[in-house]
């Protein structure tokens, strides 16, 4: 019996030793895990701190960038205001100069008209010396006219004063004067002169003078074969006034619909409408080119513009 108990105790001893070793290992493992957890938390806190520092730095830089951008935008706004002010002053000066040029041109035309009206009457409107002498009373004439005139046969005739006045008043060929032919300076400008002068001013860049010249040409020769060209170039002179340009181009279409300039005028109108954002009117004029002038050079450009606008 005693021997049996000893054997059992010997068998249980390793088991108890194993249990004790397992508890110690668990304690060691728990201690290691706690240490690792603490290290992880420390690293996480350090990472969070670095991230917050980076965010603070980025926030500071962002604030500086915002302030810098705002400052630059303010400077740009000020510069834009100055540019707009200078542009407005320049446009006003240009309008004043154009007004002065037109006023001086009008004064020059008025002075020329006054000078033409003040010119003396032509020489043939005034009586000749012979006629004036015959129109004077008989008492003022020389005494020799009272003597009877004699012929070759010695017979006397009636005094010269008894002759009919019509015969005395008839001007002779040698004593008569003819109306002087007007010189080129006195004659009004012809249609060719007006057109060439206007075209020369346009090519030199004197748009206001060119516009006045083309308008004068249309006044002189409204049915000339170059009338559509002149009206088209009137539209070309309105580089800063799209409304006036559109109105001038529209007159080309209305007054000269069969001219080669009519589709070009419609294309100019469409481009001006696109530039100021009125796509509906632009499409209308482009479609008018395709309907009325399908074989013109402008028709292909009209199709291209319609494709860009998206819908016909």
């Amino acid at each position: 019996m005693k021997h049996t108990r000893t054997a059992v105790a010997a068998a249980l001893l390793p088991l108890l030793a194993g249990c004790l070793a397992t508890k110690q290992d668990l304690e060691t493992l728990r201690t290691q895990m706690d240490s690792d957890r603490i290290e992880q938390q420390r690293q996480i806190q350090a990472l969070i701190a670095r991230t917050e520092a980076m965010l603070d730095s980025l926030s500071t830089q962002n604030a500086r960038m915002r302030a810098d951008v705002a400052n630059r935008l303010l400077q740009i706004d000020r510069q834009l205001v100055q540019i707009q002010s200078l542009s407005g002053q320049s446009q006003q000066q240009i309008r004043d100069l154009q007004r002065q040029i037109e006023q001086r041109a009008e004064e020059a035309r008025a002075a020329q008209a006054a000078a033409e009206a003040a010119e003396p009457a032509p020489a043939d409107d005034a009586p000749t010396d012979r006629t004036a002498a015959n129109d004077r009373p008989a008492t003022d004439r020389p005494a020799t006219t009272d003597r009877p005139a004699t012929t070759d046969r010695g017979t006397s005739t009636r005094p010269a004063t008894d002759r009919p006045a019509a015969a005395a008043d008839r001007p002779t060929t040698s004593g008569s004067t003819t109306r002087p032919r007007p010189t080129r300076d006195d004659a009004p400008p012809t249609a060719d002169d007006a057109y060439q002068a206007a075209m020369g001013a346009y090519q030199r860049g004197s748009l206001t003078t060119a516009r006045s010249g083309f308008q004068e040409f249309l006044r002189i020769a409204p049915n000339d074969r170059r009338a559509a060209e002149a009206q088209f170039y009137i539209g070309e002179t309105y580089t800063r006034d799209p409304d006036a340009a559109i109105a001038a181009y529209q007159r080309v279409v209305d007054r000269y619909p069969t001219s080669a300039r009519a589709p070009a005028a419609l294309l100019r109108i469409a481009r001006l409408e696109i530039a100021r954002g009125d796509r509906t009117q632009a499409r209308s004029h482009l479609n008018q080119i395709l309907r009325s002038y399908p074989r013109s050079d402008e028709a292909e450009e009209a199709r291209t513009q319609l494709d860009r606008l998206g819908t016909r």
Side-chain angles (χ1 to χ4, degrees), residues 198 210-220 230 234 238:
R211 186 187 311 139
S212 299
F214 286 124
Q215 291 171 346
E216 179 67 14
F217 168 76
L218 291 176
R219 185 189 68 80
I220 297 172
I234 290 174
Y238 287 109

mmCIF file of all heavy atoms in Angstrom, residues 198 210-220 230 234 238:
data_model
loop_
_atom_site.group_PDB
_atom_site.id
_atom_site.type_symbol
_atom_site.label_atom_id
_atom_site.label_comp_id
_atom_site.label_asym_id
_atom_site.label_seq_id
_atom_site.Cartn_x
_atom_site.Cartn_y
_atom_site.Cartn_z
ATOM 1 N N ALA A 198 -11.661 107.687 -100.913
ATOM 2 C CA ALA A 198 -12.103 106.904 -99.754
ATOM 3 C C ALA A 198 -11.275 105.640 -99.594
ATOM 4 O O ALA A 198 -10.872 105.277 -98.481
ATOM 5 C CB ALA A 198 -13.585 106.564 -99.901
ATOM 6 N N ALA A 210 -12.214 107.638 -94.374
ATOM 7 C CA ALA A 210 -12.663 106.670 -95.375
ATOM 8 C C ALA A 210 -14.173 106.490 -95.325
ATOM 9 O O ALA A 210 -14.845 106.436 -96.364
ATOM 10 C CB ALA A 210 -11.969 105.322 -95.148
ATOM 11 N N ARG A 211 -14.735 106.414 -94.112
ATOM 12 C CA ARG A 211 -16.188 106.255 -93.984
ATOM 13 C C ARG A 211 -16.922 107.432 -94.608
ATOM 14 O O ARG A 211 -17.892 107.252 -95.355
ATOM 15 C CB ARG A 211 -16.554 106.122 -92.512
ATOM 16 C CG ARG A 211 -18.026 105.797 -92.267
ATOM 17 C CD ARG A 211 -18.311 105.850 -90.777
ATOM 18 N NE ARG A 211 -17.326 105.098 -90.046
ATOM 19 C CZ ARG A 211 -16.781 105.496 -88.907
ATOM 20 N NH1 ARG A 211 -17.128 106.655 -88.372
ATOM 21 N NH2 ARG A 211 -15.897 104.748 -88.283
ATOM 22 N N SER A 212 -16.447 108.655 -94.337
ATOM 23 C CA SER A 212 -17.082 109.832 -94.930
ATOM 24 C C SER A 212 -16.953 109.808 -96.449
ATOM 25 O O SER A 212 -17.894 110.177 -97.167
ATOM 26 C CB SER A 212 -16.440 111.106 -94.368
ATOM 27 O OG SER A 212 -16.608 111.172 -92.959
ATOM 28 N N GLY A 213 -15.796 109.346 -96.947
ATOM 29 C CA GLY A 213 -15.610 109.277 -98.393
ATOM 30 C C GLY A 213 -16.537 108.270 -99.054
ATOM 31 O O GLY A 213 -17.124 108.556 -100.116
ATOM 32 N N PHE A 214 -16.684 107.101 -98.466
ATOM 33 C CA PHE A 214 -17.595 106.098 -99.040
ATOM 34 C C PHE A 214 -19.051 106.574 -98.968
ATOM 35 O O PHE A 214 -19.837 106.320 -99.884
ATOM 36 C CB PHE A 214 -17.433 104.766 -98.312
ATOM 37 C CG PHE A 214 -16.166 104.039 -98.653
ATOM 38 C CD1 PHE A 214 -15.269 103.670 -97.664
ATOM 39 C CD2 PHE A 214 -15.855 103.726 -99.964
ATOM 40 C CE1 PHE A 214 -14.086 103.006 -97.979
ATOM 41 C CE2 PHE A 214 -14.678 103.047 -100.291
ATOM 42 C CZ PHE A 214 -13.797 102.698 -99.295
ATOM 43 N N GLN A 215 -19.420 107.233 -97.889
ATOM 44 C CA GLN A 215 -20.769 107.774 -97.799
ATOM 45 C C GLN A 215 -21.009 108.841 -98.855
ATOM 46 O O GLN A 215 -22.088 108.909 -99.458
ATOM 47 C CB GLN A 215 -21.001 108.341 -96.392
ATOM 48 C CG GLN A 215 -21.075 107.271 -95.312
ATOM 49 C CD GLN A 215 -21.086 107.837 -93.907
ATOM 50 O OE1 GLN A 215 -20.773 109.018 -93.706
ATOM 51 N NE2 GLN A 215 -21.410 107.019 -92.922
ATOM 52 N N GLU A 216 -20.001 109.681 -99.113
ATOM 53 C CA GLU A 216 -20.119 110.691 -100.174
ATOM 54 C C GLU A 216 -20.236 110.024 -101.537
ATOM 55 O O GLU A 216 -21.008 110.453 -102.400
ATOM 56 C CB GLU A 216 -18.905 111.615 -100.132
ATOM 57 C CG GLU A 216 -18.894 112.687 -101.202
ATOM 58 C CD GLU A 216 -20.004 113.714 -101.026
ATOM 59 O OE1 GLU A 216 -20.620 113.749 -99.940
ATOM 60 O OE2 GLU A 216 -20.255 114.472 -101.982
ATOM 61 N N PHE A 217 -19.476 108.948 -101.751
ATOM 62 C CA PHE A 217 -19.565 108.212 -103.010
ATOM 63 C C PHE A 217 -20.978 107.651 -103.213
ATOM 64 O O PHE A 217 -21.536 107.747 -104.314
ATOM 65 C CB PHE A 217 -18.548 107.078 -103.018
ATOM 66 C CG PHE A 217 -18.740 106.087 -104.135
ATOM 67 C CD1 PHE A 217 -18.359 106.399 -105.429
ATOM 68 C CD2 PHE A 217 -19.318 104.855 -103.886
ATOM 69 C CE1 PHE A 217 -18.542 105.488 -106.460
ATOM 70 C CE2 PHE A 217 -19.503 103.943 -104.904
ATOM 71 C CZ PHE A 217 -19.113 104.260 -106.196
ATOM 72 N N LEU A 218 -21.564 107.077 -102.164
ATOM 73 C CA LEU A 218 -22.923 106.537 -102.284
ATOM 74 C C LEU A 218 -23.943 107.649 -102.517
ATOM 75 O O LEU A 218 -24.958 107.434 -103.185
ATOM 76 C CB LEU A 218 -23.279 105.745 -101.024
ATOM 77 C CG LEU A 218 -22.505 104.430 -100.836
ATOM 78 C CD1 LEU A 218 -22.870 103.790 -99.505
ATOM 79 C CD2 LEU A 218 -22.805 103.464 -101.969
ATOM 80 N N ARG A 219 -23.660 108.835 -101.979
ATOM 81 C CA ARG A 219 -24.574 109.945 -102.231
ATOM 82 C C ARG A 219 -24.501 110.395 -103.692
ATOM 83 O O ARG A 219 -25.523 110.704 -104.308
ATOM 84 C CB ARG A 219 -24.237 111.114 -101.307
ATOM 85 C CG ARG A 219 -25.218 112.279 -101.395
ATOM 86 C CD ARG A 219 -24.695 113.480 -100.617
ATOM 87 N NE ARG A 219 -23.506 114.050 -101.239
ATOM 88 C CZ ARG A 219 -23.549 114.859 -102.292
ATOM 89 N NH1 ARG A 219 -24.701 115.188 -102.851
ATOM 90 N NH2 ARG A 219 -22.428 115.348 -102.800
ATOM 91 N N ILE A 220 -23.273 110.400 -104.239
ATOM 92 C CA ILE A 220 -23.092 110.836 -105.621
ATOM 93 C C ILE A 220 -23.586 109.780 -106.598
ATOM 94 O O ILE A 220 -24.273 110.104 -107.584
ATOM 95 C CB ILE A 220 -21.606 111.154 -105.883
ATOM 96 C CG1 ILE A 220 -21.145 112.320 -105.014
ATOM 97 C CG2 ILE A 220 -21.352 111.466 -107.350
ATOM 98 C CD1 ILE A 220 -19.653 112.571 -105.086
ATOM 99 N N ALA A 230 -18.600 99.886 -101.534
ATOM 100 C CA ALA A 230 -18.506 101.054 -100.656
ATOM 101 C C ALA A 230 -19.282 100.831 -99.365
ATOM 102 O O ALA A 230 -18.795 101.131 -98.272
ATOM 103 C CB ALA A 230 -19.035 102.292 -101.382
ATOM 104 N N ILE A 234 -17.836 100.605 -95.492
ATOM 105 C CA ILE A 234 -18.350 101.423 -94.387
ATOM 106 C C ILE A 234 -18.460 100.567 -93.123
ATOM 107 O O ILE A 234 -18.103 100.986 -92.024
ATOM 108 C CB ILE A 234 -19.698 102.049 -94.768
ATOM 109 C CG1 ILE A 234 -19.495 103.135 -95.831
ATOM 110 C CG2 ILE A 234 -20.383 102.648 -93.538
ATOM 111 C CD1 ILE A 234 -20.781 103.720 -96.367
ATOM 112 N N TYR A 238 -16.073 100.456 -88.891
ATOM 113 C CA TYR A 238 -16.568 100.472 -87.505
ATOM 114 C C TYR A 238 -15.887 99.351 -86.729
ATOM 115 O O TYR A 238 -16.484 98.324 -86.410
ATOM 116 C CB TYR A 238 -18.087 100.288 -87.483
ATOM 117 C CG TYR A 238 -18.865 101.490 -87.954
ATOM 118 C CD1 TYR A 238 -19.528 101.474 -89.175
ATOM 119 C CD2 TYR A 238 -18.947 102.643 -87.186
ATOM 120 C CE1 TYR A 238 -20.255 102.574 -89.611
ATOM 121 C CE2 TYR A 238 -19.660 103.751 -87.609
ATOM 122 C CZ TYR A 238 -20.313 103.701 -88.826
ATOM 123 O OH TYR A 238 -21.026 104.790 -89.252
#
